[in-house]
Amino acid sequence: MSDVLATLGVFAIVVVVLLVAVALFLLFKLVRKHKQVHQPGTPVPTKAAYWVSLAYTVFPIDLLPDPIYLDDIVVLVGGLMYVGSSLRKRREVED
């Protein structure tokens, strides 16, 4: 029985480490869009999505407790998708 618990403990640690790594990767990708988001002409909803995604990830108040980063990952993916799409549309209009 202790072997099963030890195996489950190791598995849980690996899952948490992987989730943290994914969340940090997505956070880094979002932060790299900072200069693009703050260009003149960027729509306010795009700027809001950028800042809300960052704030939700950084602040300790979450839908799920902090060792579970699934909610942070979902918010970051959503923010990246919205910001990326909006910036692409803005570039197409300018060209």
Side-chain angles (χ1 to χ4, degrees):
M1 182 68 169
S2 66
D3 290 340
V4 171
L5 291 177
T7 303
L8 287 175
V10 169
F11 179 73
I13 290 170
V14 168
V15 168
V16 168
V17 168
L18 286 174
L19 290 174
V20 169
V22 169
L24 288 174
F25 173 75
L26 293 170
L27 183 63
F28 179 72
K29 284 188 64 125
L30 187 64
V31 169
R32 288 188 61 191
K33 295 193 179 291
H34 181 80
K35 284 185 181 179
Q36 294 173 350
V37 168
H38 290 83
Q39 294 292 324
T42 301
V44 172
T46 303
K47 293 178 182 184
Y50 174 83
W51 285 111
V52 167
S53 298
L54 286 178
Y56 185 84
T57 302
V58 174
F59 287 116
I61 299 171
D62 284 348
L63 293 175
L64 299 173
D66 248 353
I68 303 169
Y69 288 97
L70 290 175
D71 59 332
D72 296 307
I73 290 170
V74 168
V75 169
L76 285 170
V77 167
L80 274 169
M81 289 175 60
Y82 182 79
V83 168
S85 171
S86 178
L87 292 174
R88 244 185 329 278
K89 286 179 186 174
R90 194 189 82 191
R91 264 186 263 124
E92 289 171 1
V93 169
E94 290 175 354
D95 291 339

